[in-house]
Amino acid sequence: MKKELSNQKSIYIHMDNVINNVVTSGITFCDFMQGVPAPPENILLIKHHFKDTSYNAHTAFHYLESNDLKQLKQAPLIKFNNFCWVDFEDIELVNQLSPQEVAELLYLAHTGRHLRSPFYYKLQNNFVYLTKKDGRYNKVYYRNMNHFYVVLSQAITRKTEEIVHEKSFLMPNRRKGVALPPSDLLKKMMKYFKEGACISFAHAEKSRTQLRVPVGIEFDEDLSELEDSPEELVYNEVVAELVYDLRRSEWDYIEK
């Protein structure tokens, strides 16, 4: 078996607007927490491997509060394997969950699929975050799908910075920050996200003035293959490009 990718370059997206979930590869929990406009303050851990957590006797789930979540940003990625959670507003609301609702949450964590709506009135949750291998194959339900595009913008910026600054580690003072691509620009790719698309930083072309990142579609394999494979998926057609102007620090989107 080939060595697993330690720093995946490309971002894969498959969006389902009917049930408000997005399957991604190349977007991590840290991207999510740094990008989402209203990050969760408390999360109910429905599957995890963390040791320092609080315990809720009513549901037999562990949970983390805001101070705990701040520390998670510094944790290594392996800590987030088999990491499934829903956010909640108040622990007293968690204590009102019915046995049926607890069973539904267990089913979500076990199968990655919802039985009924994944957004619970009692929890007032905005997200359901499901992953076995964080950053490699994540499935996130968003109550507000606009939040996904802000998270995607954060991930694109991080990967752009890795390319732009890859040879400037000896001169950190000369590094110029990369601008966040606007959500409205990223939404132009929605029609491709619905079928499955790749923002291919692995095939990005950099000149003195621009970074051009192809957007590919039509894969020979399903995105679920990423969960067990160390390889990046191969796309068969380039339909657009994301273009970053290095001098003006501006993004553009060009259809093929």
Side-chain angles (χ1 to χ4, degrees):
M1 182 175 179
K2 295 181 181 180
K3 185 178 180 181
E4 186 169 340
L5 294 167
S6 59
N7 185 17
Q8 178 178 313
K9 292 184 177 180
S10 298
I11 299 174
Y12 302 87
I13 299 131
H14 191 192
M15 178 182 291
D16 189 331
N17 287 82
V18 176
I19 52 176
N20 280 27
N21 76 45
V22 188
V23 172
T24 63
S25 182
I27 299 178
T28 67
F29 174 74
C30 289
D31 290 326
F32 174 88
M33 290 296 290
Q34 290 172 8
V36 73
E41 295 188 3
N42 312 290
I43 63 174
L44 193 64
L45 298 163
I46 54 180
K47 183 181 285 187
H48 72 103
H49 292 300
F50 295 107
K51 292 181 180 179
D52 298 325
T53 61
S54 300
Y55 179 73
N56 177 253
H58 175 71
T59 60
F61 288 132
H62 292 82
Y63 64 95
L64 296 172
E65 298 176 293
S66 56
N67 288 336
D68 304 312
L69 291 175
K70 290 177 183 177
Q71 297 176 16
L72 282 191
K73 292 182 181 180
Q74 310 301 323
L77 281 179
I78 194 167
K79 287 284 187 181
F80 303 124
N81 292 347
N82 286 312
F83 182 44
C84 304
W85 56 264
V86 298
D87 59 300
F88 65 92
E89 284 194 354
D90 190 275
I91 194 63
E92 291 305 317
L93 298 175
V94 174
N95 291 331
Q96 296 177 24
L97 289 173
S98 68
Q100 173 66 29
E101 289 167 328
V102 173
E104 289 175 14
L105 289 169
L106 287 169
Y107 183 84
L108 258 174
H110 183 66
T111 67
R113 299 187 297 273
H114 60 285
L115 284 171
R116 295 191 294 178
S117 170
F119 302 106
Y120 294 85
Y121 174 77
K122 293 173 185 175
L123 296 179
Q124 291 294 296
N125 64 305
N126 292 309
F127 313 102
V128 178
Y129 192 101
L130 309 168
T131 183
K132 292 181 182 178
K133 192 177 294 182
D134 191 64
R136 188 59 175 160
Y137 185 84
N138 295 11
K139 183 176 184 179
V140 182
Y141 292 83
Y142 291 85
R143 185 184 292 272
N144 183 343
M145 286 294 281
N146 289 324
H147 289 180
F148 163 70
Y149 289 98
V150 188
V151 172
L152 176 60
S153 178
Q154 166 65 32
I156 288 173
T157 299
R158 176 174 62 83
K159 290 185 181 295
T160 301
E161 287 177 340
E162 290 171 359
I163 295 175
V164 171
H165 298 153
E166 62 185 351
K167 295 182 180 179
S168 64
F169 61 92
L170 294 177
M171 298 176 289
N173 293 332
R174 296 185 61 183
R175 291 186 178 184
K176 183 180 179 181
V178 171
L180 291 163
S183 293
D184 288 344
L185 182 143
L186 300 179
K187 287 179 182 178
K188 293 180 180 180
M189 294 185 281
M190 184 188 300
K191 60 185 176 183
Y192 301 122
F193 293 162
K194 290 179 180 179
E195 301 298 324
C198 172
I199 301 174
S200 184
F201 285 92
H203 298 105
E205 295 182 359
K206 180 187 173 186
S207 68
R208 296 176 70 90
T209 60
Q210 286 185 332
L211 180 71
R212 306 182 74 92
V213 187
V215 178
I217 62 170
E218 295 187 4
F219 305 103
D220 294 330
E221 297 175 293
D222 188 85
L223 262 66
S224 61
E225 298 291 328
L226 287 164
E227 191 169 348
D228 300 313
S229 170
E231 302 296 324
E232 297 207 22
L233 296 184
V234 177
Y235 52 84
N236 295 306
E237 181 182 357
V238 174
V239 292
E241 283 185 324
L242 278 174
V243 181
Y244 186 63
D245 189 305
L246 296 168
R247 292 178 177 175
R248 295 184 297 166
S249 298
E250 293 179 355
W251 287 94
D252 196 8
Y253 174 73
I254 302 172
E255 290 265 4
K256 291 290 187 178

